[in-house]
Amino acid sequence: MDLTELVEQLPDGSVLTDPDLTASYRQDWARDPDAGSPLAVVRATSTEHVQTVMRWATAHHVPVVPRGAGSGLSGGATAVDGGIVLTTERMRDITIDPVTRTAVVQPGLLNAEVKRAVAEHDLWYPPDPSSFEICSIGGNTATNAGGLCCVKYGVTTDYVLGMQVVLADGTAVRLGGPRLKDVAGLSLTKLFVGSEGTLGIITEITLRLIPAQPKQATVVATFSTMEDATGAILDITRSLRPSMLEFMDKVAINAVEDAMNMGLDRTAEALLIARSDSPGAFAASEAATMEAACSAHNAAEVFSTEDAEEGEAFCAARRFAIPAVERKGSLLLEDVGVPLPQLPDLVNGIAAIAAERDVMVSVIAHAGDGNTHPLIVYNADDAAMTERAHLAFGEIMDLAIALGGTITGEHGVGRLKKAWLPDYLGEDVMELTRRIKHALDPDGILNPGAIL
Amino acid sequence: MDLTELVEQLPDGSVLTDPDLTASYRQDWARDPDAGSPLAVVRATSTEHVQTVMRWATAHHVPVVPRGAGSGLSGGATAVDGGIVLTTERMRDITIDPVTRTAVVQPGLLNAEVKRAVAEHDLWYPPDPSSFEICSIGGNTATNAGGLCCVKYGVTTDYVLGMQVVLADGTAVRLGGPRLKDVAGLSLTKLFVGSEGTLGIITEITLRLIPAQPKQATVVATFSTMEDATGAILDITRSLRPSMLEFMDKVAINAVEDAMNMGLDRTAEALLIARSDSPGAFAASEAATMEAACSAHNAAEVFSTEDAEEGEAFCAARRFAIPAVERKGSLLLEDVGVPLPQLPDLVNGIAAIAAERDVMVSVIAHAGDGNTHPLIVYNADDAAMTERAHLAFGEIMDLAIALGGTITGEHGVGRLKKAWLPDYLGEDVMELTRRIKHALDPDGILNPGAIL
């Protein structure tokens, strides 16, 4: 495929074709072994460049895989053979309006950079994936990313007021905008959030911001059974709105303890980290309520602190759980969610799958909203074990579906989970999905192979 | 059109054809004078009945207008000649799960009934249109309804986790469900919220609930200029998250005072009602902050109360503003929203339009999110004045668009506003909308004439 026409329409250095340079754009963090070799990587710096790429791609029937920071965990940005990888990493502008509490951001900015920029105005952009230091706001929007504070503050879609999106044919449209309430026409902004680059390429996002988060009080509790931990989770979420409610199992506790030496109880089966950011003295009062809920459910140890630094240390431990477990081997990172009462059945079922497949599975979770991350640990040099790990990966999704849960709570379907999507959605909803995809991308050039 | 085949498939009494009985289903509260005469009104009692109607309608190319409680203000449920009005008013089941804090409701239940049912479990369904005692949860979902507490708690879409929806061809699909986080597949649930019956008929909704609202403190302040009131609004929303922030202009203040004798300051140009529901003593502390913001912006009078009954009285006054103004004549009820800093320009521009068109326009607003309800008062027996009122109605939307605002913040486009939708969205977004509509309703039988 001759790229001359495309290269000529873009600034110098926008188009990479040297395999040494394009290699790092072939995969995201899902490390999809089936990743293709792209024709080229285009580093766009403006909406117009994205339009140029899409017009060219439509004219030549070339697939385009949009890519943010490449930190996706479901293979949503896996390159396809003969396609373009279009990265928005160089689109990094932000304009903050403290009066309307909105920010207009380009997709390449990292989540943490958005947080820091708005914090200078005493404002807060809540969604906080564990990867917030390295994931992009564009990727967050394309996957409807979640995080730790979502149990109280909601997920990405709850903060996206509008966007500019480039459609398959290169048309750039503006959806929504800096209006806090707007019901004029179909909810197209919401449709594009979480569409994983299959309907269009998001080139600008208008975010709703809220006042800075108050100081948080933190409760840490350990339990000797999953049932007790779940009992505490249900009691807490029924009586108040924690600003964080996280779970780690024994494997994760020990992996973190190995790495960080925090004095965590290595014999505990479950650890909860719960926080309250209610204003003033009420954070401590809610912390006391959460402590009482943990004690009522036979917590082995309960610890509470209003010290911000100490609280952050526990949150950092939770955020570090994935890399800590990763030291034990290669990871398949799951993202299944269930209605809260099914949490023990899910965790126990996962343990059974791990035993059956003879692989280690550690479970960490955004417990307050039933969203778990089973981490399947395996030796990638062991082909048989690798195969068993992948079987366990699928069986965990089957289990989640059987328990009335979802195959992905916040990472997206991408390419790794699409084989399970029909089981979850059913044929009628798949058909509905295909109709919308076809209406917006009739030639199927936008991120082909993702979701569908 | 022979209805025998349809009648035979539905329970006795489901199908009304007597014009005396169908007359009350021809219009919603928008009182669209162009309402058609329906072929029949079907009162569905189950999803299966809705499927029966849609299969029959598809087979015979008969338009179907879905209808909730008929309290819509944009003509979204206006009957069309030769069509079916499908009312969900008899679908009134609710199942509440206090453990997962979700409720599965049928669309015919009123918003207030949902609130009351979940309150028995100390839970809260926040969205609260002023019409909450008479509007249905199905209509709320179909229009993505807002309300008074939305400034802090968000709108209907923020509480809809899933739904069952019957498509044009009669297929019933389940979207989302009782999972707090779910990114498996496109955000179809969100697409159907606010689609005003043009993509499918919602027959069941899974709602997210939150713990009961804490006691509120209430601040009432009056101002002699709109600029001062806006200054106070901006200061308040920048520093904290009020649980309500409502505005009434002089006409509304006087109309309410005429009816309710509350001792409101009849000379004030603007009245704000602001509330805080922060827990414990913090509500009073936030009320003090809001009082100070009002005083700093030259409030003529500021009054604050922690008494729930007294606070409710002021909210009731605000909710009563529309019927109070309606005593002065027929109403065209507007719903335009602007970014907050444009609020004075909008209010002043509306005053200019009112003067130019020689009609009275009163402005009330969900001020905290810039969503205003200009009430155009006219004498329906005066044809020239009626025409001027309708001209003003359109000019107010033109003004909102010019100020970067929306033509509808929470009521929907329906039939009354669709002529302005292309000006607001632009041709490219209209085309995108038509593509999705066509993909889901290729024969155009679902609520034809609404939105598009």
Side-chain angles (χ1 to χ4, degrees):
Chain A
M1 173 70 62
D2 182 5
L3 292 168
T4 316
E5 184 193 332
L6 179 64
V7 171
E8 281 175 353
Q9 293 180 73
L10 294 169
D12 285 352
S14 300
V15 183
L16 307 177
T17 53
D18 180 343
D20 287 347
L21 297 175
T22 61
S24 62
Y25 294 91
R26 289 182 58 240
Q27 298 173 312
D28 56 23
W29 275 33
R31 304 272 173 261
D32 188 344
D34 300 327
S37 292
L39 189 62
V41 171
V42 177
R43 296 181 292 185
T45 51
S46 72
T47 298
E48 290 67 30
H49 299 163
V50 177
Q51 293 183 270
T52 299
V53 171
M54 292 314 304
R55 283 192 206 107
W56 180 88
T58 289
H60 298 90
H61 305 287
V62 173
V64 176
V65 174
R67 180 186 173 98
S71 62
L73 293 162
S74 300
T78 303
V80 300
D81 279 331
I84 298 284
V85 172
L86 192 153
T87 171
T88 54
E89 65 193 345
R90 291 185 164 187
M91 297 178 69
R92 294 175 43 76
D93 282 350
I94 181 167
T95 311
I96 300 164
D97 182 352
V99 176
T100 56
R101 285 175 296 140
T102 56
V104 178
V105 302
Q106 286 191 320
L109 223 58
L110 302 183
N111 176 300
E113 292 173 324
V114 173
K115 282 185 189 300
R116 281 195 285 269
V118 306
E120 286 176 24
H121 301 272
D122 285 328
L123 291 168
W124 183 33
Y125 172 71
D128 58 345
S130 287
S131 58
F132 76 105
E133 292 281 3
I134 55 162
C135 62
S136 73
I137 195 75
N140 289 178
T141 306
T143 58
N144 192 15
L148 282 68
C149 73
C150 300
V151 63
K152 180 166 183 177
Y153 289 97
V155 293
T156 305
T157 193
D158 299 313
Y159 295 88
V160 177
L161 293 174
M163 60 173 64
Q164 186 169 45
V165 60
V166 175
L167 305 178
D169 65 1
T171 308
V173 296
R174 289 198 171 274
L175 306 173
R179 292 160 290 269
L180 297 175
K181 282 160 77 183
D182 186 1
V183 295
L186 297 177
S187 305
L188 298 176
T189 305
K190 298 277 187 193
L191 175 65
F192 279 89
V193 176
S195 62
E196 301 190 39
T198 64
L199 303 182
I201 299 177
I202 298 164
T203 59
E204 186 189 282
I205 309 140
T206 302
L207 297 172
R208 182 173 72 93
L209 307 170
I210 62 177
Q213 187 176 29
K215 273 186 56 179
Q216 300 186 77
T218 308
V219 175
V220 181
T222 55
F223 301 84
S224 57
T225 71
M226 189 59 212
E227 284 70 17
D228 280 335
T230 305
I233 291 164
L234 290 177
D235 271 12
I236 290 169
T237 53
R238 196 173 161 174
S239 60
L240 56 86
R241 304 184 71 192
S243 51
M244 181 185 294
L245 184 46
E246 294 291 314
F247 166 86
M248 292 199 279
D249 74 357
K250 190 182 219 165
V251 176
I253 294 167
N254 279 279
V256 168
E257 190 59 21
D258 288 347
M260 295 179 84
N261 257 311
M262 296 188 65
L264 302 178
D265 176 6
R266 286 177 177 277
T267 69
E269 289 293 331
L271 180 144
L272 293 185
I273 306 173
R275 306 187 90 180
S276 166
D277 67 355
S278 278
F282 225 73
S285 153
E286 288 193 342
T289 302
M290 296 194 285
E291 270 195 88
C294 292
S295 298
H297 288 277
N298 313 309
E301 288 181 2
V302 195
F303 168 80
S304 173
T305 178
E306 288 180 68
D307 184 85
E309 215 167 299
E310 209 168 20
E312 273 310 311
F314 284 107
C315 298
R318 161 59 189 87
R319 285 205 185 86
F320 190 67
I322 297 177
V325 173
E326 197 162 22
R327 295 180 180 192
K328 301 192 177 301
S330 292
L331 285 193
L332 284 177
L333 210 162
E334 254 299 353
D335 178 40
V336 293
V338 289
L340 277 182
Q342 272 68 58
L343 209 49
D345 285 351
L346 180 68
V347 173
N348 295 334
I350 289 168
I353 291 167
E356 171 76 21
R357 294 295 174 193
D358 194 19
V359 288
M360 183 162 77
V361 182
S362 172
V363 177
I364 58 177
H366 307 304
D369 38 39
N371 182 197
T372 72
H373 295 311
L375 310 171
I376 305 168
V377 188
Y378 66 102
N379 178 354
D381 296 332
D382 180 338
M385 191 182 199
T386 302
E387 194 190 333
R388 295 201 309 276
H390 280 92
L391 288 170
F393 184 77
E395 286 161 356
I396 290 171
M397 282 188 276
D398 295 339
L399 173 63
I401 294 171
L403 293 171
T406 176
I407 60 170
T408 175
E410 58 181 11
H411 293 169
V413 173
R415 287 168 179 80
L416 264 57
K417 300 199 151 194
K418 71 173 170 171
W420 285 267
L421 193 62
D423 287 348
Y424 175 58
L425 293 182
E427 184 43 44
D428 286 339
V429 179
M430 288 300 293
E431 172 56 21
L432 191 55
T433 305
R434 283 189 289 264
R435 278 151 71 180
I436 289 172
K437 167 72 172 175
H438 185 73
L440 268 59
D441 179 22
D443 297 335
I445 60 170
L446 277 167
N447 211 5
I451 302 184
L452 290 167
Chain B
M1 173 71 64
D2 182 5
L3 292 169
T4 315
E5 185 192 333
L6 178 65
V7 171
E8 281 174 355
Q9 293 180 74
L10 294 169
D12 286 351
S14 300
V15 183
L16 307 178
T17 52
D18 179 343
D20 287 347
L21 297 175
T22 61
S24 62
Y25 293 92
R26 290 181 58 238
Q27 297 172 313
D28 57 21
W29 274 32
R31 304 272 173 263
D32 188 342
D34 300 329
S37 291
L39 191 60
V41 171
V42 177
R43 295 180 293 186
T45 50
S46 73
T47 299
E48 290 68 31
H49 298 163
V50 176
Q51 293 183 269
T52 300
V53 171
M54 292 315 302
R55 283 191 205 108
W56 181 88
T58 290
H60 297 90
H61 305 289
V62 172
V64 175
V65 174
R67 180 187 174 96
S71 61
L73 293 162
S74 300
T78 303
V80 299
D81 280 329
I84 298 284
V85 172
L86 193 154
T87 171
T88 54
E89 65 194 344
R90 290 186 166 185
M91 298 178 68
R92 294 175 43 77
D93 282 349
I94 180 167
T95 310
I96 300 164
D97 182 351
V99 176
T100 56
R101 284 175 297 139
T102 55
V104 177
V105 302
Q106 286 191 321
L109 221 59
L110 302 183
N111 176 300
E113 292 172 326
V114 173
K115 283 185 189 296
R116 281 195 286 269
V118 306
E120 285 176 26
H121 300 271
D122 284 327
L123 291 168
W124 182 33
Y125 172 71
D128 58 347
S130 287
S131 57
F132 76 105
E133 292 281 4
I134 56 162
C135 61
S136 73
I137 195 73
N140 288 180
T141 306
T143 57
N144 191 16
L148 282 67
C149 72
C150 301
V151 63
K152 179 166 183 177
Y153 288 97
V155 293
T156 304
T157 193
D158 299 314
Y159 295 88
V160 177
L161 293 174
M163 61 173 65
Q164 186 169 44
V165 61
V166 176
L167 304 178
D169 65 1
T171 308
V173 296
R174 288 199 171 276
L175 305 174
R179 293 159 291 270
L180 297 175
K181 281 160 79 183
D182 187 2
V183 295
L186 297 178
S187 305
L188 297 177
T189 305
K190 298 278 187 193
L191 176 64
F192 279 89
V193 176
S195 63
E196 302 190 39
T198 63
L199 303 181
I201 299 178
I202 298 164
T203 59
E204 187 189 283
I205 308 142
T206 300
L207 296 173
R208 181 171 73 93
L209 307 170
I210 61 176
Q213 186 176 31
K215 272 186 59 178
Q216 299 185 77
T218 308
V219 175
V220 182
T222 55
F223 300 84
S224 56
T225 72
M226 189 60 212
E227 284 71 17
D228 280 336
T230 305
I233 292 164
L234 291 176
D235 272 12
I236 289 169
T237 53
R238 197 172 162 174
S239 60
L240 56 86
R241 304 185 71 194
S243 52
M244 180 185 296
L245 184 47
E246 293 290 314
F247 166 85
M248 292 198 277
D249 74 358
K250 191 183 221 165
V251 175
I253 295 167
N254 279 278
V256 168
E257 190 58 22
D258 288 348
M260 295 178 86
N261 257 311
M262 296 187 68
L264 303 178
D265 176 5
R266 288 178 175 274
T267 68
E269 289 294 331
L271 180 144
L272 293 185
I273 305 173
R275 306 187 89 180
S276 165
D277 66 355
S278 278
F282 225 72
S285 152
E286 288 193 343
T289 303
M290 296 194 285
E291 269 194 87
C294 293
S295 297
H297 289 277
N298 313 308
E301 288 181 2
V302 194
F303 168 81
S304 173
T305 178
E306 289 182 67
D307 184 83
E309 214 167 299
E310 209 168 18
E312 273 310 311
F314 284 107
C315 297
R318 162 59 190 84
R319 286 206 184 86
F320 190 67
I322 297 177
V325 173
E326 197 164 20
R327 294 182 179 190
K328 301 194 176 300
S330 293
L331 286 192
L332 283 176
L333 210 163
E334 254 299 352
D335 178 41
V336 293
V338 288
L340 278 182
Q342 272 67 58
L343 209 48
D345 285 351
L346 180 67
V347 173
N348 294 335
I350 289 169
I353 290 168
E356 171 75 21
R357 293 297 174 192
D358 194 18
V359 289
M360 183 162 78
V361 182
S362 172
V363 177
I364 59 178
H366 307 305
D369 37 40
N371 182 198
T372 72
H373 295 312
L375 310 171
I376 304 168
V377 188
Y378 65 103
N379 178 355
D381 295 332
D382 179 340
M385 192 182 197
T386 302
E387 195 190 331
R388 295 200 309 275
H390 280 92
L391 289 170
F393 183 78
E395 286 161 357
I396 290 171
M397 282 188 276
D398 295 339
L399 173 64
I401 294 171
L403 292 171
T406 176
I407 60 170
T408 175
E410 59 181 10
H411 293 169
V413 173
R415 288 167 179 81
L416 264 58
K417 299 198 152 195
K418 70 172 170 171
W420 285 266
L421 193 63
D423 287 346
Y424 175 59
L425 294 182
E427 184 44 42
D428 287 340
V429 179
M430 288 300 294
E431 172 56 21
L432 191 56
T433 305
R434 283 190 290 263
R435 279 152 71 180
I436 290 171
K437 166 71 173 176
H438 185 72
L440 269 58
D441 179 21
D443 297 335
I445 61 169
L446 277 167
N447 212 5
I451 301 184
L452 290 166

